[in-house]
Amino acid sequence: AQSVTQLGSHVSVSEGALVLLRCNYSSSVPPYLFWYVQYPNQGLQLLLKYTSAATLVKGINGFEAEFKKSETSFHLTKPSAHMSDAAEYFCAVSESGNTPLVFGKGTRLSVIA
Amino acid sequence: GAVVSQHPSWVICKSGTSVKIECRSLDFQATTMFWYRQFPKQSLMLMATSNEGSKATYEQGVEKDKFLINHASLTLSTLTVTSAHPEDSSFYICSASERIYEQYFGPGTRLTVT
């Protein structure tokens, strides 16, 4: 069975600081990995996805993530936080591209002015 | 980009009544749609997977007679919460998939049962 662990339910950074949201996965098959962002009372928006191509994946809004098989990790980073980045972030794993996603518990990102 | 809509965006109903939530893929044909449930400040939990023209596959612990899912066409899936109770109050989110690796989420429906 697949699972995702997001370390830290809440991360707080200063505006302009580095954003690092951690995600570790467990999968018996080569995984497909995703990061989504959710603003209050809204659905999920895809930030980026890893589908066995390049291990460094660039997404929208300046976010990127690196797939590290040896560490079973897929951490999300952004060099400089903006106030508009404050939201809930979910890491998810899938066995294939068209199967249900298994989500982590989410990490709430706060950005301090 | 691919757009998925949900209707209604929020609904309040009385205990014992039924509520239908629609999920539509607006600009693509969705071979598969997924229904998730999200409690406040929690993650999304998959309820069921539906493929057009076939019966939905429910996750363990989800009552299929209570949460009726119909995927009648390649652009529409519906979730009906039958005989709703306050514990069914939640945020329901659907997603739709056309191609591999691409799953698009609707904006969600907030259900409050009084």
Short mmCIF file of all heavy atoms in Angstrom, two decimals, chain A residues 32 34 36 38 41-46 49 51-52 88 90 96-106 108, chain B residues 31-32 34 36 38 41-44 46 49 59 91 93 97-108 110:
data_model
loop_
_atom_site.label_atom_id
_atom_site.label_comp_id
_atom_site.label_asym_id
_atom_site.label_seq_id
_atom_site.Cartn_x
_atom_site.Cartn_y
_atom_site.Cartn_z
N TYR A 32 4.23 7.84 -8.82
CA TYR A 32 3.98 9.13 -9.43
C TYR A 32 3.64 10.07 -8.27
O TYR A 32 2.82 9.74 -7.43
CB TYR A 32 2.82 9.03 -10.43
CG TYR A 32 3.13 8.07 -11.54
CD1 TYR A 32 2.69 6.75 -11.49
CD2 TYR A 32 3.89 8.46 -12.64
CE1 TYR A 32 3.00 5.85 -12.50
CE2 TYR A 32 4.20 7.57 -13.65
CZ TYR A 32 3.75 6.26 -13.57
OH TYR A 32 4.05 5.38 -14.56
N PHE A 34 2.89 14.04 -6.61
CA PHE A 34 2.23 15.30 -6.92
C PHE A 34 2.28 16.22 -5.71
O PHE A 34 2.27 15.78 -4.56
CB PHE A 34 0.76 15.07 -7.28
CG PHE A 34 0.54 14.05 -8.37
CD1 PHE A 34 0.56 12.69 -8.08
CD2 PHE A 34 0.28 14.45 -9.67
CE1 PHE A 34 0.35 11.74 -9.09
CE2 PHE A 34 0.06 13.52 -10.67
CZ PHE A 34 0.10 12.17 -10.37
N TYR A 36 -0.05 19.55 -4.45
CA TYR A 36 -1.21 20.38 -4.69
C TYR A 36 -1.26 21.50 -3.64
O TYR A 36 -0.80 21.34 -2.52
CB TYR A 36 -2.51 19.57 -4.58
CG TYR A 36 -2.76 18.63 -5.73
CD1 TYR A 36 -2.26 17.33 -5.72
CD2 TYR A 36 -3.54 19.03 -6.82
CE1 TYR A 36 -2.50 16.47 -6.77
CE2 TYR A 36 -3.79 18.16 -7.87
CZ TYR A 36 -3.26 16.89 -7.84
OH TYR A 36 -3.51 16.03 -8.88
N GLN A 38 -4.06 24.20 -1.75
CA GLN A 38 -5.49 24.45 -1.51
C GLN A 38 -5.65 25.74 -0.72
O GLN A 38 -5.10 25.87 0.39
CB GLN A 38 -6.14 23.29 -0.75
CG GLN A 38 -7.63 23.45 -0.57
CD GLN A 38 -8.26 22.31 0.21
OE1 GLN A 38 -7.65 21.74 1.10
NE2 GLN A 38 -9.50 21.96 -0.13
N ASN A 41 -11.57 26.98 1.49
CA ASN A 41 -12.86 26.72 0.86
C ASN A 41 -12.78 26.59 -0.66
O ASN A 41 -13.73 26.94 -1.38
CB ASN A 41 -13.87 27.81 1.23
CG ASN A 41 -14.18 27.79 2.71
OD1 ASN A 41 -14.48 26.75 3.27
ND2 ASN A 41 -14.08 28.94 3.35
N GLN A 42 -11.65 26.12 -1.14
CA GLN A 42 -11.49 25.90 -2.56
C GLN A 42 -10.99 24.49 -2.83
O GLN A 42 -10.59 23.76 -1.91
CB GLN A 42 -10.50 26.92 -3.16
CG GLN A 42 -11.00 28.35 -3.11
CD GLN A 42 -10.09 29.29 -3.85
OE1 GLN A 42 -9.38 28.90 -4.78
NE2 GLN A 42 -10.09 30.55 -3.45
N GLY A 43 -11.03 24.11 -4.08
CA GLY A 43 -10.50 22.81 -4.46
C GLY A 43 -8.99 22.83 -4.51
O GLY A 43 -8.35 23.76 -4.03
N LEU A 44 -8.41 21.80 -5.10
CA LEU A 44 -6.97 21.67 -5.16
C LEU A 44 -6.43 22.08 -6.52
O LEU A 44 -7.01 21.79 -7.55
CB LEU A 44 -6.56 20.21 -4.91
CG LEU A 44 -6.42 19.80 -3.45
CD1 LEU A 44 -7.76 19.80 -2.75
CD2 LEU A 44 -5.78 18.43 -3.35
N GLN A 45 -5.31 22.76 -6.49
CA GLN A 45 -4.65 23.16 -7.71
C GLN A 45 -3.31 22.46 -7.79
O GLN A 45 -2.53 22.46 -6.84
CB GLN A 45 -4.44 24.68 -7.73
CG GLN A 45 -3.77 25.19 -8.99
CD GLN A 45 -3.53 26.69 -8.96
OE1 GLN A 45 -3.66 27.34 -7.92
NE2 GLN A 45 -3.18 27.25 -10.09
N LEU A 46 -3.04 21.85 -8.94
CA LEU A 46 -1.78 21.14 -9.13
C LEU A 46 -0.62 22.12 -9.23
O LEU A 46 -0.64 23.02 -10.06
CB LEU A 46 -1.85 20.28 -10.39
CG LEU A 46 -0.60 19.48 -10.73
CD1 LEU A 46 -0.35 18.40 -9.66
CD2 LEU A 46 -0.73 18.84 -12.11
N LYS A 49 4.19 17.82 -10.81
CA LYS A 49 4.08 16.36 -10.72
C LYS A 49 5.36 15.71 -11.21
O LYS A 49 6.07 16.23 -12.07
CB LYS A 49 2.90 15.85 -11.54
CG LYS A 49 2.95 16.19 -13.04
CD LYS A 49 1.73 15.62 -13.73
CE LYS A 49 1.78 15.90 -15.24
NZ LYS A 49 1.30 17.23 -15.58
N THR A 51 6.64 12.21 -12.92
CA THR A 51 6.12 11.03 -13.61
C THR A 51 7.24 10.23 -14.24
O THR A 51 7.13 9.77 -15.37
CB THR A 51 5.12 11.47 -14.69
OG1 THR A 51 5.78 12.38 -15.61
CG2 THR A 51 3.93 12.16 -14.10
N SER A 52 8.33 10.07 -13.53
CA SER A 52 9.48 9.23 -13.90
C SER A 52 10.36 9.85 -14.97
O SER A 52 11.16 9.15 -15.57
CB SER A 52 9.04 7.83 -14.32
OG SER A 52 8.46 7.86 -15.61
N GLU A 88 -2.71 25.76 2.20
CA GLU A 88 -2.48 24.38 2.62
C GLU A 88 -1.87 23.64 1.45
O GLU A 88 -2.33 23.77 0.31
CB GLU A 88 -3.81 23.72 3.02
CG GLU A 88 -3.67 22.37 3.68
CD GLU A 88 -3.41 22.46 5.17
OE1 GLU A 88 -3.66 23.53 5.76
OE2 GLU A 88 -2.94 21.46 5.74
N PHE A 90 -0.58 19.91 -0.12
CA PHE A 90 -0.72 18.47 -0.01
C PHE A 90 0.22 17.76 -0.97
O PHE A 90 0.29 18.10 -2.15
CB PHE A 90 -2.16 18.02 -0.32
CG PHE A 90 -3.18 18.46 0.68
CD1 PHE A 90 -3.92 19.61 0.48
CD2 PHE A 90 -3.39 17.73 1.84
CE1 PHE A 90 -4.88 20.02 1.41
CE2 PHE A 90 -4.33 18.13 2.77
CZ PHE A 90 -5.07 19.28 2.56
N SER A 96 -0.19 4.77 -10.60
CA SER A 96 -0.10 5.07 -12.02
C SER A 96 -0.77 6.41 -12.21
O SER A 96 -1.29 6.99 -11.26
CB SER A 96 -0.77 3.99 -12.85
OG SER A 96 -2.17 4.06 -12.68
N GLY A 97 -0.80 6.86 -13.41
CA GLY A 97 -1.32 8.20 -13.62
C GLY A 97 -2.81 8.32 -13.54
O GLY A 97 -3.35 9.40 -13.45
N ASN A 98 -3.50 7.19 -13.53
CA ASN A 98 -4.95 7.28 -13.58
C ASN A 98 -5.62 6.54 -12.43
O ASN A 98 -6.76 6.12 -12.53
CB ASN A 98 -5.45 6.70 -14.92
CG ASN A 98 -6.82 7.24 -15.28
OD1 ASN A 98 -7.17 8.35 -14.90
ND2 ASN A 98 -7.58 6.45 -15.99
N THR A 99 -4.89 6.38 -11.36
CA THR A 99 -5.46 5.74 -10.18
C THR A 99 -5.63 6.78 -9.09
O THR A 99 -5.04 7.86 -9.14
CB THR A 99 -4.56 4.61 -9.68
OG1 THR A 99 -3.24 5.13 -9.49
CG2 THR A 99 -4.51 3.46 -10.69
N PRO A 100 -6.45 6.46 -8.10
CA PRO A 100 -6.71 7.44 -7.04
C PRO A 100 -5.42 7.91 -6.37
O PRO A 100 -4.47 7.15 -6.19
CB PRO A 100 -7.59 6.69 -6.06
CG PRO A 100 -8.23 5.63 -6.87
CD PRO A 100 -7.22 5.23 -7.89
N LEU A 101 -5.45 9.14 -5.97
CA LEU A 101 -4.32 9.71 -5.25
C LEU A 101 -4.43 9.39 -3.76
O LEU A 101 -5.52 9.42 -3.20
CB LEU A 101 -4.28 11.22 -5.44
CG LEU A 101 -4.07 11.70 -6.88
CD1 LEU A 101 -4.31 13.20 -6.96
CD2 LEU A 101 -2.68 11.36 -7.35
N VAL A 102 -3.30 9.12 -3.17
CA VAL A 102 -3.23 8.98 -1.71
C VAL A 102 -2.55 10.24 -1.20
O VAL A 102 -1.41 10.53 -1.58
CB VAL A 102 -2.44 7.72 -1.30
CG1 VAL A 102 -2.28 7.68 0.21
CG2 VAL A 102 -3.15 6.47 -1.81
N PHE A 103 -3.25 10.97 -0.36
CA PHE A 103 -2.76 12.26 0.10
C PHE A 103 -2.08 12.18 1.45
O PHE A 103 -2.42 11.36 2.30
CB PHE A 103 -3.92 13.25 0.21
CG PHE A 103 -4.44 13.73 -1.11
CD1 PHE A 103 -5.44 13.05 -1.78
CD2 PHE A 103 -3.92 14.88 -1.68
CE1 PHE A 103 -5.92 13.50 -3.00
CE2 PHE A 103 -4.39 15.34 -2.90
CZ PHE A 103 -5.38 14.64 -3.55
N GLY A 104 -1.12 13.05 1.64
CA GLY A 104 -0.59 13.28 2.97
C GLY A 104 -1.57 14.13 3.76
O GLY A 104 -2.60 14.56 3.24
N LYS A 105 -1.26 14.36 5.02
CA LYS A 105 -2.17 15.10 5.89
C LYS A 105 -2.16 16.59 5.64
O LYS A 105 -3.00 17.32 6.17
CB LYS A 105 -1.83 14.81 7.35
CG LYS A 105 -2.11 13.37 7.76
CD LYS A 105 -1.86 13.17 9.25
CE LYS A 105 -2.15 11.73 9.66
NZ LYS A 105 -3.55 11.36 9.45
N GLY A 106 -1.21 17.05 4.85
CA GLY A 106 -1.17 18.46 4.52
C GLY A 106 -0.25 19.26 5.43
O GLY A 106 -0.04 18.90 6.59
N ARG A 108 0.24 23.35 6.46
CA ARG A 108 -0.23 24.72 6.32
C ARG A 108 0.96 25.67 6.33
O ARG A 108 1.75 25.66 7.28
CB ARG A 108 -1.21 25.08 7.45
CG ARG A 108 -1.79 26.49 7.33
CD ARG A 108 -3.01 26.64 8.22
NE ARG A 108 -2.70 26.43 9.63
CZ ARG A 108 -2.36 27.40 10.46
NH1 ARG A 108 -2.26 28.64 10.02
NH2 ARG A 108 -2.11 27.12 11.73
N THR B 31 -12.70 10.09 -18.44
CA THR B 31 -12.95 8.65 -18.39
C THR B 31 -13.15 8.17 -16.96
O THR B 31 -13.86 7.21 -16.71
CB THR B 31 -11.78 7.89 -19.02
OG1 THR B 31 -10.57 8.30 -18.37
CG2 THR B 31 -11.68 8.18 -20.51
N THR B 32 -12.51 8.84 -16.05
CA THR B 32 -12.59 8.46 -14.65
C THR B 32 -12.82 9.70 -13.79
O THR B 32 -12.22 10.75 -14.04
CB THR B 32 -11.29 7.77 -14.19
OG1 THR B 32 -11.02 6.67 -15.04
CG2 THR B 32 -11.43 7.27 -12.75
N PHE B 34 -13.23 10.86 -9.55
CA PHE B 34 -13.02 10.44 -8.18
C PHE B 34 -13.78 11.38 -7.25
O PHE B 34 -13.86 12.58 -7.49
CB PHE B 34 -11.53 10.49 -7.81
CG PHE B 34 -10.63 9.70 -8.73
CD1 PHE B 34 -10.00 10.32 -9.79
CD2 PHE B 34 -10.42 8.35 -8.52
CE1 PHE B 34 -9.15 9.60 -10.64
CE2 PHE B 34 -9.59 7.62 -9.36
CZ PHE B 34 -8.96 8.24 -10.43
N TYR B 36 -13.89 12.68 -3.28
CA TYR B 36 -13.16 12.76 -2.02
C TYR B 36 -14.01 13.50 -0.99
O TYR B 36 -14.87 14.31 -1.32
CB TYR B 36 -11.84 13.53 -2.21
CG TYR B 36 -10.84 12.89 -3.13
CD1 TYR B 36 -10.89 13.09 -4.51
CD2 TYR B 36 -9.82 12.08 -2.63
CE1 TYR B 36 -9.96 12.52 -5.36
CE2 TYR B 36 -8.87 11.51 -3.47
CZ TYR B 36 -8.95 11.73 -4.83
OH TYR B 36 -8.02 11.17 -5.67
N GLN B 38 -13.45 15.74 2.67
CA GLN B 38 -12.45 16.43 3.48
C GLN B 38 -13.11 17.05 4.71
O GLN B 38 -13.99 17.91 4.57
CB GLN B 38 -11.73 17.50 2.67
CG GLN B 38 -10.59 18.19 3.40
CD GLN B 38 -9.91 19.24 2.56
OE1 GLN B 38 -10.54 19.89 1.73
NE2 GLN B 38 -8.61 19.42 2.76
N LYS B 41 -9.70 21.01 8.38
CA LYS B 41 -8.27 20.93 8.71
C LYS B 41 -7.71 19.52 8.59
O LYS B 41 -6.76 19.16 9.28
CB LYS B 41 -8.03 21.47 10.13
CG LYS B 41 -8.46 22.92 10.28
CD LYS B 41 -8.05 23.50 11.60
CE LYS B 41 -8.59 24.91 11.80
NZ LYS B 41 -8.13 25.83 10.75
N GLN B 42 -8.31 18.74 7.71
CA GLN B 42 -7.79 17.39 7.48
C GLN B 42 -7.53 17.17 6.00
O GLN B 42 -7.83 18.02 5.16
CB GLN B 42 -8.78 16.34 8.00
CG GLN B 42 -8.94 16.35 9.51
CD GLN B 42 -9.75 15.17 10.00
OE1 GLN B 42 -9.77 14.12 9.37
NE2 GLN B 42 -10.41 15.34 11.13
N SER B 43 -6.97 16.02 5.71
CA SER B 43 -6.64 15.72 4.33
C SER B 43 -7.86 15.17 3.58
O SER B 43 -8.93 15.00 4.15
CB SER B 43 -5.50 14.71 4.28
OG SER B 43 -5.02 14.56 2.97
N LEU B 44 -7.66 14.91 2.31
CA LEU B 44 -8.73 14.36 1.50
C LEU B 44 -8.73 12.84 1.63
O LEU B 44 -7.69 12.19 1.57
CB LEU B 44 -8.53 14.71 0.03
CG LEU B 44 -8.90 16.12 -0.40
CD1 LEU B 44 -7.87 17.13 0.06
CD2 LEU B 44 -9.06 16.19 -1.92
N LEU B 46 -10.38 9.47 -0.11
CA LEU B 46 -11.09 8.97 -1.27
C LEU B 46 -12.33 8.21 -0.84
O LEU B 46 -12.27 7.34 0.03
CB LEU B 46 -10.18 8.05 -2.09
CG LEU B 46 -10.80 7.43 -3.33
CD1 LEU B 46 -11.07 8.50 -4.39
CD2 LEU B 46 -9.90 6.34 -3.90
N THR B 49 -14.41 5.70 -6.77
CA THR B 49 -13.92 5.93 -8.13
C THR B 49 -15.02 5.53 -9.09
O THR B 49 -15.63 4.46 -8.95
CB THR B 49 -12.69 5.05 -8.42
OG1 THR B 49 -11.67 5.35 -7.46
CG2 THR B 49 -12.15 5.29 -9.82
N GLU B 59 -14.55 2.87 -1.60
CA GLU B 59 -13.50 2.54 -0.67
C GLU B 59 -14.09 1.86 0.56
O GLU B 59 -15.27 2.02 0.89
CB GLU B 59 -12.74 3.80 -0.25
CG GLU B 59 -11.98 4.45 -1.39
CD GLU B 59 -10.93 3.52 -1.97
OE1 GLU B 59 -10.00 3.13 -1.23
OE2 GLU B 59 -11.04 3.20 -3.18
N PHE B 91 -16.79 18.69 3.40
CA PHE B 91 -16.44 19.31 2.14
C PHE B 91 -16.20 18.17 1.16
O PHE B 91 -15.34 17.32 1.39
CB PHE B 91 -15.16 20.15 2.34
CG PHE B 91 -14.86 21.11 1.22
CD1 PHE B 91 -15.79 22.02 0.78
CD2 PHE B 91 -13.60 21.13 0.63
CE1 PHE B 91 -15.50 22.93 -0.23
CE2 PHE B 91 -13.29 22.04 -0.38
CZ PHE B 91 -14.25 22.94 -0.81
N ILE B 93 -15.18 16.92 -2.60
CA ILE B 93 -14.41 17.37 -3.77
C ILE B 93 -14.36 16.25 -4.79
O ILE B 93 -14.10 15.09 -4.44
CB ILE B 93 -12.98 17.76 -3.38
CG1 ILE B 93 -12.98 18.85 -2.30
CG2 ILE B 93 -12.20 18.24 -4.60
CD1 ILE B 93 -11.58 19.22 -1.82
N SER B 97 -10.31 12.78 -14.61
CA SER B 97 -9.09 12.42 -15.31
C SER B 97 -9.41 12.07 -16.76
O SER B 97 -10.33 11.29 -17.02
CB SER B 97 -8.42 11.24 -14.61
OG SER B 97 -7.28 10.82 -15.31
N GLU B 98 -8.67 12.67 -17.65
CA GLU B 98 -8.81 12.35 -19.06
C GLU B 98 -7.65 11.50 -19.54
O GLU B 98 -7.81 10.51 -20.23
CB GLU B 98 -8.88 13.64 -19.88
CG GLU B 98 -8.93 13.41 -21.38
CD GLU B 98 -8.73 14.68 -22.18
OE1 GLU B 98 -8.09 15.61 -21.67
OE2 GLU B 98 -9.23 14.75 -23.32
N ARG B 99 -6.47 11.94 -19.18
CA ARG B 99 -5.26 11.24 -19.60
C ARG B 99 -4.44 10.87 -18.38
O ARG B 99 -4.63 11.40 -17.29
CB ARG B 99 -4.42 12.15 -20.50
CG ARG B 99 -5.02 12.43 -21.85
CD ARG B 99 -4.02 13.21 -22.71
NE ARG B 99 -3.76 14.53 -22.17
CZ ARG B 99 -4.48 15.60 -22.49
NH1 ARG B 99 -5.49 15.51 -23.32
NH2 ARG B 99 -4.18 16.78 -21.97
N ILE B 100 -3.56 9.98 -18.61
CA ILE B 100 -2.67 9.56 -17.53
C ILE B 100 -1.89 10.76 -16.99
O ILE B 100 -1.50 11.64 -17.72
CB ILE B 100 -1.70 8.49 -18.06
CG1 ILE B 100 -2.47 7.19 -18.29
CG2 ILE B 100 -0.56 8.24 -17.09
CD1 ILE B 100 -1.63 6.06 -18.80
N TYR B 101 -1.70 10.78 -15.72
CA TYR B 101 -0.92 11.77 -14.97
C TYR B 101 -1.65 13.10 -14.79
O TYR B 101 -1.10 14.01 -14.21
CB TYR B 101 0.42 12.09 -15.63
CG TYR B 101 1.23 10.89 -16.06
CD1 TYR B 101 1.86 10.87 -17.29
CD2 TYR B 101 1.33 9.78 -15.26
CE1 TYR B 101 2.59 9.79 -17.71
CE2 TYR B 101 2.05 8.67 -15.66
CZ TYR B 101 2.68 8.69 -16.89
OH TYR B 101 3.39 7.61 -17.30
N GLU B 102 -2.84 13.20 -15.29
CA GLU B 102 -3.52 14.47 -15.16
C GLU B 102 -4.88 14.29 -14.51
O GLU B 102 -5.79 13.72 -15.08
CB GLU B 102 -3.67 15.13 -16.54
CG GLU B 102 -2.33 15.47 -17.17
CD GLU B 102 -2.46 16.19 -18.48
OE1 GLU B 102 -3.59 16.46 -18.90
OE2 GLU B 102 -1.41 16.49 -19.10
N GLN B 103 -4.97 14.77 -13.31
CA GLN B 103 -6.22 14.69 -12.55
C GLN B 103 -6.55 16.11 -12.11
O GLN B 103 -5.74 16.76 -11.45
CB GLN B 103 -6.03 13.77 -11.34
CG GLN B 103 -7.31 13.28 -10.73
CD GLN B 103 -7.05 12.23 -9.65
OE1 GLN B 103 -7.57 12.35 -8.56
NE2 GLN B 103 -6.27 11.21 -9.93
N TYR B 104 -7.73 16.56 -12.46
CA TYR B 104 -8.13 17.93 -12.19
C TYR B 104 -9.24 17.96 -11.16
O TYR B 104 -10.18 17.17 -11.24
CB TYR B 104 -8.57 18.62 -13.49
CG TYR B 104 -7.48 18.64 -14.53
CD1 TYR B 104 -7.44 17.68 -15.53
CD2 TYR B 104 -6.48 19.60 -14.50
CE1 TYR B 104 -6.42 17.67 -16.47
CE2 TYR B 104 -5.46 19.61 -15.44
CZ TYR B 104 -5.44 18.64 -16.41
OH TYR B 104 -4.43 18.63 -17.35
N PHE B 105 -9.11 18.87 -10.22
CA PHE B 105 -10.05 18.92 -9.11
C PHE B 105 -11.09 20.01 -9.29
O PHE B 105 -10.81 21.10 -9.81
CB PHE B 105 -9.29 19.16 -7.80
CG PHE B 105 -8.58 17.93 -7.31
CD1 PHE B 105 -7.36 17.56 -7.85
CD2 PHE B 105 -9.14 17.13 -6.34
CE1 PHE B 105 -6.70 16.42 -7.42
CE2 PHE B 105 -8.50 15.99 -5.89
CZ PHE B 105 -7.29 15.63 -6.43
N GLY B 106 -12.29 19.70 -8.82
CA GLY B 106 -13.33 20.71 -8.77
C GLY B 106 -13.12 21.61 -7.56
O GLY B 106 -12.27 21.35 -6.71
N PRO B 107 -13.91 22.67 -7.46
CA PRO B 107 -13.75 23.64 -6.37
C PRO B 107 -14.34 23.17 -5.05
O PRO B 107 -14.15 23.81 -4.03
CB PRO B 107 -14.50 24.87 -6.89
CG PRO B 107 -15.52 24.30 -7.81
CD PRO B 107 -14.89 23.11 -8.45
N GLY B 108 -15.05 22.05 -5.07
CA GLY B 108 -15.58 21.52 -3.82
C GLY B 108 -17.00 21.98 -3.53
O GLY B 108 -17.47 23.02 -4.04
N ARG B 110 -19.49 22.42 -0.09
CA ARG B 110 -19.61 22.39 1.37
C ARG B 110 -21.03 21.98 1.71
O ARG B 110 -21.98 22.68 1.38
CB ARG B 110 -19.28 23.75 1.95
CG ARG B 110 -19.63 23.90 3.41
CD ARG B 110 -18.50 23.79 4.38
NE ARG B 110 -17.19 24.19 3.96
CZ ARG B 110 -16.10 23.51 4.31
NH1 ARG B 110 -16.21 22.43 5.03
NH2 ARG B 110 -14.91 23.94 3.94
#
